[in-house]
Amino acid sequence: MTFAALSQMNPMHAIPVLKDGDFTMWESKSILRYIANKHNLEAWYPTDPQKRAHVDLALDFCNNNFQNVIGPKVVYPIVGIVSPLSEAEAAEVEKQWKEDVMPSFEHILRRSGGPLFGGSRPNIADLAFLGHLVTVFGKAPDSFVCKTEAISSYFAAVKAALPKYADAFGPSEAFFSAK
């Protein structure tokens, strides 16, 4: 696909993009919701309002909190998208992680009743977190994020719950762990 073709489908000029017949959309979490709704994937995105609200909470938390630390504050400086953080900035980010992000992550996870946001089975929120985890564990394995036991345990639980994880994410892990 050319950049021009991508730009016609997504005014943000980014991936992912989903084209389903004449229907086109972007934003990964919206795409996850669309696919689950279109194919009635109840196990991945429940129709019960409270269960769905819990999945939506985890998706929004991923997008508005977790991702905002993982990307711009941990991975981007390592890969050169932004300048490295000063020691004071890095300390502030780690404090935010410990005091805000992780307690919220653990609270949402506890509400699920299992090791995953879907409880004992993964749901689309787990898939949303997965891409960020593959990236941070590949590019920043020594970061405070990867040294957080709850994150390491969660990542292991998600991988174990997806029988085809190695087939689907092995190439991504190899790409992100390459120096």
Side-chain angles (χ1 to χ4, degrees), residues 78 135-147 176-177 179:
I78 290 171
T135 304
V136 75
F137 274 82
K139 287 296 178 194
D142 296 325
S143 69
F144 59 86
V145 173
C146 298
K147 291 180 179 178
F176 286 115
S177 65
K179 302 296 179 196

Side-chain angles (χ1 to χ4, degrees), residues 21-36:
D22 293 336
F23 180 70
T24 303
M25 67 180 303
W26 58 94
E27 295 296 340
S28 59
K29 284 123 190 112
S30 294
I31 291 169
L32 287 169
R33 288 180 180 111
Y34 173 78
I35 292 168

Side-chain angles (χ1 to χ4, degrees), residues 43-46 51 54-55 58 116-119 121-128:
W44 290 92
Y45 195 42
K51 289 178 182 178
H54 180 74
V55 175
L116 308 168
F117 289 114
R121 296 186 50 177
N123 64 29
I124 63 172
D126 296 299
L127 297 179

